[in-house]
Amino acid sequence: MMTINRASSGAFEIEPTKVKSPVREKDEAADRSSSVWATLRREAQAVLENDPRLARAMKLNVLDHETFAHGLAHRLSETFANNAVDGDLLTSLSLDVFDASPEILRHAILDLQAVYDRDPSTSELLVPFLYFKGFLALQGHRIAHWLWHNDKRHMARHIQSRSCDFLSIDIHPAARMGSGIMLDHGNGLVIGETAVVEDDVSILQDVTLGGTGKDTGDRHPKIRRGALIGAGAKILGNIEIGVGAKVGAGSVVVSAVAAHSSVAGVPARIVGKPKSDLPGISMEIPDADSDYVI
């Protein structure tokens, strides 16, 4: 269980807490959501005052909405609607899914925090909420995943297809994604049907979590907590990338990677160990003499 507290920087700090009753947990989740939305509204108002030309954008996307749920539903509808499935329908659908599975909103807040904490180019929560395709694709996937498991597979496929067309990110609706995930840039990212990505993982652009092309059933990688996957890495087959492991940019991984180890190359080989226990959180930079980079 976690809580998110207001930090002096203007974002939020995640701290572990003791196990609470379901009622108290629900109340605290609502408080977190309200706090995050209040911050996003303050940031949007500051943008509006600094550049009135963006008044309409800030109002439509943030200031006209009373809650984080409504604001996120609107952002997802703007991203995934088209002539066949309009924005009002997707907004209503998203709100229905949030009501059915409130955990999706909690995960969205943790994803937003992850980007703020790990991306050095991000100084506001508003930036990933409005503009970062990795964040938007991940939240769209969360909706699609719920639909997939509740007998609404064609709507799930619509969201997946729109994510491919509009964001260049392809996550199968059945793939299982944890929370506190950062999909940095996201362009060219492909995640297959039986893939699992656990909490606190960071994945850079042009990564494939794919099958080998000849297996059926459970055939995609399992990325364990706190792993860091470098740009352009290809991880193929039903293999495990262990807790706190690091995969170098451009690597091709076809066998399991042990926890807290670093691999790189084609095919990937062990080149050392990450400096931190969870490089997916720390986003550590390799030493200057390292033979690979993230």
Side-chain angles (χ1 to χ4, degrees):
M1 193 64 56
M2 297 183 175
T3 60
I4 301 181
N5 297 324
R6 196 77 171 90
S8 59
S9 65
F12 296 83
E13 294 178 345
I14 301 172
E15 299 175 352
T17 64
K18 296 179 180 179
V19 175
K20 302 177 180 67
S21 70
V23 173
R24 185 178 178 188
E25 181 178 341
K26 183 176 180 180
D27 289 343
E28 291 193 354
D31 289 343
R32 288 196 299 270
S33 180
S34 295
S35 296
V36 168
W37 193 240
T39 298
L40 287 165
R41 287 176 63 88
R42 284 194 294 271
E43 292 176 351
Q45 184 64 38
V47 171
L48 183 155
E49 293 171 0
N50 179 65
D51 189 349
R53 293 168 296 185
L54 289 171
R56 184 171 184 271
M58 294 302 109
K59 289 177 180 178
L60 284 176
N61 289 304
V62 179
L63 297 174
D64 285 349
H65 306 287
E66 294 299 321
T67 68
F68 180 75
H70 283 81
L72 181 59
H74 174 79
R75 287 299 301 129
L76 297 180
S77 72
E78 290 284 290
T79 304
F80 300 112
N82 63 7
N83 291 334
V85 180
D86 67 29
D88 289 343
L89 186 154
L90 281 177
T91 297
S92 177
L93 172 65
S94 296
L95 290 171
D96 287 345
V97 173
F98 295 156
D99 285 341
S101 182
E103 188 175 66
I104 291 174
L105 289 175
R106 183 179 72 86
H107 288 176
I109 289 170
L110 294 174
D111 296 337
L112 197 61
Q113 176 71 35
V115 179
Y116 179 90
D117 288 342
R118 300 173 204 169
D119 187 338
S121 72
T122 302
S123 59
E124 301 172 305
L125 293 177
L126 185 64
V127 170
F129 181 80
L130 291 182
Y131 308 121
F132 281 13
K133 60 172 62 180
F135 174 78
L136 293 170
L138 184 53
Q139 307 326 309
H141 167 77
R142 297 195 188 287
I143 299 290
H145 185 76
W146 188 93
L147 294 168
W148 186 264
H149 289 287
N150 286 274
D151 197 28
K152 301 290 186 291
R153 293 193 171 188
H154 276 274
M155 186 62 78
R157 287 290 197 181
H158 169 81
I159 293 173
Q160 179 193 11
S161 177
R162 289 294 292 156
S163 182
C164 293
D165 292 345
F166 190 62
L167 302 174
S168 299
I169 296 173
D170 184 358
I171 308 175
H172 192 285
R176 290 181 284 160
M177 307 293 286
S179 62
I181 293 171
M182 180 174 74
L183 306 181
D184 194 25
H185 299 290
N187 283 53
L189 174 65
V190 176
I191 298 180
E193 178 182 10
T194 60
V196 175
V197 178
E198 293 187 344
D199 297 348
D200 303 321
V201 168
S202 291
I203 302 176
L204 280 74
Q205 70 272 16
D206 200 29
V207 165
T208 297
L209 306 182
T212 61
K214 59 184 180 180
D215 293 330
T216 59
D218 192 358
R219 61 196 184 278
H220 296 103
K222 313 298 181 278
I223 312 300
R224 301 307 181 192
R225 180 174 181 247
L228 174 59
I229 312 300
K234 313 302 177 189
I235 303 173
L236 305 176
N238 184 15
I239 60 175
E240 180 171 299
I241 307 301
V243 172
K246 187 162 71 169
V247 177
S251 299
V252 176
V253 185
V254 294
S255 58
V257 175
H260 308 296
S261 61
S262 298
V263 301
V266 182
R269 59 183 178 81
I270 294 177
V271 294
K273 293 183 177 182
K275 297 175 184 176
S276 62
D277 287 338
L278 299 174
I281 294 177
S282 66
M283 299 296 292
E284 64 183 54
I285 300 173
D287 292 332
D289 60 353
S290 174
D291 60 357
Y292 79 102
V293 294
I294 292 295

